[in-house]
Amino acid sequence: MPVLLAPDRAPALSELLRAADTVGLGCSIEGDQEAGALKIAGIGSLQSAGCSEISFLSNPRLQAQLDDCGAAAVILRQQDWEAYRARSPDQPAWAAVLCPQPYLMYALLAQWFDRHRQAGLPRGIHPSAVIAEDAVLADGVHVGPLAVIESGVRLAEGVRIGAGCFIGADSSIGPDSLLHARVTLYHGVHVGARAILHSGVVLGADGFGFAPDPRTAGAWAKIAQLGGVRIGDDVEIGANTTVDRGAVEDTVLGHGVKLDNQIMIGHNCRIGDHTAMAACVGVAGSTTMGRRCVIGGAAMFGGHLTLGDDVHISGGTAVTSDILKAGRYTGVFPVAEHGAWQHNAAVIGQLAQLRKRLRAAERLGAAGTSGQSKNHKQDIQ
């Protein structure tokens, strides 16, 4: 029961489906008009949902949980509904909402409830916030306690800035974006509309740029990072994830990019629209990823690489060269009992020598076959 509304604020099921922007999903309520009039005050799982909540079935293997479900309504596919009725001919206590994409519909309903929750939160400027005189704050902006907003910042309508956030000079944030507590935007960072930045996010720190300085043995000269960071619309960035500013040009995250917690995006990277990354991914500088890429947790990318559109990288994979063809790529050494792993690793370390020996054997075999062929011809003659 993550979200509950008071009974007098709960919408009817039919109203909720319209309000949650489920147009195009082909949803329908099975049953009479009374089903559409059911009041829905929240969302719950099949096992926990109460008589004023809606639930969903997206995994057919959980069909058995429908038998004891106490929800007011359940979202499920037509084939799952038919399978349920085939083994349970009696009309269930819950109303069936038929939809080809139950999980997506659940996501849209959850968004509706969360927007409703946020609309009820207080808005205003906390007296402890420090805001530069020339910063521009549009209508409906909320700034929490101890936040700092520097000179030249522009915050669009409906932006929420959590407690302890820092927004650096000449940065901007688009409409209806949400920054949770302790988000840091360095100077010159631009965030699009409806972004969600979780606690600990840092956008615009210096990229790791240094030039060897032979004047002192082993020394490095810092390369000033003069670019910025640009974040598209509908981007979500998880807790403690960092995106470095560009050395000269901006680091860019496209529209709809989703980043999990503890991800590192290096300077001058360009991440295409709707690409998603799981936790602990590391992307070295000047890497370009196409659109709709899916990156598994703890994957690693060397610098100056290019990934095409629709590339899927399995978790833990190290990518050291360009991948331009769409598809799934995996480079993970399988887990094994430690002793067996050591033996396998030792063999892998000898692959170059084994390859040389194999090629030598192939050449020797080819030469022997050629000699036998010549002798055979002479015998015929």
Side-chain angles (χ1 to χ4, degrees):
M1 297 182 289
V3 180
L4 286 177
L5 301 177
D8 59 337
R9 298 167 61 196
L13 176 59
S14 57
E15 295 173 0
L16 175 62
L17 298 183
R18 288 193 297 269
D21 192 22
T22 57
V23 174
L25 287 181
C27 302
S28 62
I29 302 173
E30 186 74 11
D32 52 26
Q33 293 183 345
E34 292 184 2
L38 290 169
K39 295 293 186 179
I40 304 298
I43 302 178
S45 69
L46 289 172
Q47 294 176 311
S48 68
C51 61
S52 63
E53 294 175 289
I54 191 169
S55 188
F56 67 98
L57 173 70
S58 61
N59 186 345
R61 289 180 294 180
L62 301 180
Q63 271 263 356
Q65 295 184 11
L66 293 173
D67 297 341
D68 300 319
C69 181
V74 175
I75 310 162
L76 71 172
R77 286 181 283 263
Q78 176 74 39
Q79 57 266 38
D80 294 326
W81 170 243
E82 292 174 356
Y84 172 79
R85 292 309 306 272
R87 62 184 180 82
S88 302
D90 295 336
Q91 188 71 21
W94 39 268
V97 179
L98 305 183
C99 178
Q101 299 288 339
Y103 198 59
L104 173 58
M105 187 172 173
Y106 152 68
L108 295 174
L109 294 179
Q111 289 180 21
W112 184 89
F113 278 104
D114 195 51
R115 287 195 298 271
H116 201 281
R117 177 190 65 83
Q118 291 189 37
L121 296 177
R123 292 199 176 260
I125 310 300
H126 195 275
S128 66
V130 178
I131 302 175
E133 292 184 359
D134 63 345
V136 178
L137 279 60
D139 294 338
V141 168
H142 171 79
V143 182
L146 303 177
V148 175
I149 299 176
E150 290 197 324
S151 176
V153 168
R154 302 180 67 88
L155 304 182
E157 297 84 358
V159 168
R160 293 190 64 88
I161 305 296
C165 288
F166 176 88
I167 313 299
D170 300 318
S171 295
S172 65
I173 301 175
D176 299 314
S177 289
L178 169 63
L179 277 63
H180 289 277
R182 296 182 294 103
V183 170
T184 298
L185 273 57
Y186 281 56
H187 65 279
V189 173
H190 302 283
V191 178
R194 299 173 300 279
I196 300 175
L197 308 183
H198 291 274
S199 294
V201 164
V202 177
L203 305 182
D206 279 358
F208 193 67
F210 299 90
D213 186 350
R215 296 173 297 179
T216 303
W220 300 89
K222 181 176 177 61
I223 299 173
Q225 305 293 288
L226 304 178
V229 173
R230 291 191 175 272
I231 308 293
D233 298 338
D234 301 300
V235 171
E236 182 161 355
I237 302 179
N240 295 326
T241 286
T242 62
V243 180
D244 286 349
R245 68 193 316 107
V248 178
E249 298 180 354
D250 293 342
T251 301
V252 178
L253 272 60
H255 300 311
V257 168
K258 310 299 183 187
L259 303 183
D260 198 356
N261 302 335
Q262 297 180 324
I263 289 173
M264 163 64 194
I265 306 295
H267 60 176
N268 298 105
C269 287
R270 302 184 71 88
I271 310 300
D273 294 351
H274 306 296
T275 286
M277 301 184 194
C280 300
V281 169
V283 184
S286 299
T287 294
T288 298
M289 292 188 185
R291 295 168 295 177
R292 302 177 301 276
C293 293
V294 177
I295 312 300
M300 299 168 286
F301 296 83
H304 300 271
L305 300 180
T306 299
L307 268 65
D309 296 341
D310 301 300
V311 171
H312 291 206
I313 303 297
S314 297
T317 297
V319 180
T320 57
S321 59
D322 293 349
I323 301 176
L324 304 180
K325 182 181 177 182
R328 183 172 180 178
Y329 297 82
T330 303
V332 182
F333 196 83
V335 66
E337 187 274 331
H338 183 66
W341 187 92
Q342 286 183 309
H343 289 303
N344 291 333
V347 171
I348 290 175
Q350 299 172 17
L351 284 180
Q353 292 179 335
L354 291 173
R355 180 170 178 264
K356 289 180 180 178
R357 292 168 59 185
L358 178 60
R359 285 194 166 185
E362 288 175 339
R363 287 194 295 269
L364 182 60
T369 301
S370 176
Q372 289 176 3
S373 177
K374 289 180 179 179
N375 292 336
H376 182 61
K377 287 182 179 179
Q378 291 174 355
D379 291 341
I380 293 175
Q381 293 174 350

